[in-house]
Amino acid sequence: QVQLVESGGGLVQAGGSLRLSCAASGRTYVMGWFRQAPGKERAFVAAITWSGDSTVYADSAKGRFTVSRDNAKNTVYLQMNSLKPEDTAVYYCAAGGSYTVVAQRYDYWGQGTQVTVSS
């Protein structure tokens, strides 16, 4: 059983930046970030393999968000730049064994952290 704890969310103006962190209680393999806006389905944002040599992003995140990890700290990060009001959502990290954009393929989930971008 792996526990995931996100942090780093908050309120930021459009154009600003935030860095989310996700600390894991143990070793994880593939890590993903997802987000869920009010009234919408949970959506894929980014994922990274154990080694960090492969990453994948949703179209909405490409060029603005960067996923990275520090395995010595069992922590994954999501650096978010040039934030837009439409990025407002609860952001979740997830851990699993498959390198995938499909939420149902991830085994463990954090509790989420709120990101609010004002216009």
Side-chain angles (χ1 to χ4, degrees):
Q1 188 79 12
V2 176
Q3 293 182 330
L4 305 174
V5 179
E6 300 99 334
S7 61
L11 174 64
V12 63
Q13 289 187 332
S17 299
L18 282 175
R19 188 176 82 153
L20 305 183
S21 299
C22 174
S25 61
R27 179 171 176 162
T28 58
Y29 294 93
V30 175
M31 295 293 294
W33 285 97
F34 293 78
R35 67 186 184 186
Q36 188 165 18
K40 294 188 176 182
E41 298 285 322
R42 189 169 297 189
F44 171 76
V45 176
I48 186 169
T49 55
W50 160 256
S51 63
D53 60 355
S54 292
T55 57
V56 59
Y57 297 90
D59 287 344
S60 59
K62 288 179 182 176
R64 300 189 299 128
F65 294 3
T66 302
V67 61
S68 62
R69 66 190 300 163
D70 183 341
N71 291 334
K73 297 181 179 179
N74 288 332
T75 300
V76 65
Y77 305 97
L78 185 67
Q79 177 68 43
M80 304 186 294
N81 299 327
S82 302
L83 283 162
K84 306 173 182 179
E86 50 264 45
D87 294 318
T88 295
V90 177
Y91 283 71
Y92 299 89
C93 67
S98 300
Y99 185 49
T100 178
V101 305
V102 179
Q104 290 82 355
R105 300 290 298 275
Y106 286 82
D107 302 310
Y108 304 102
W109 291 83
Q111 81 290 349
T113 186
Q114 176 70 47
V115 171
T116 302
V117 184
S118 63
S119 58

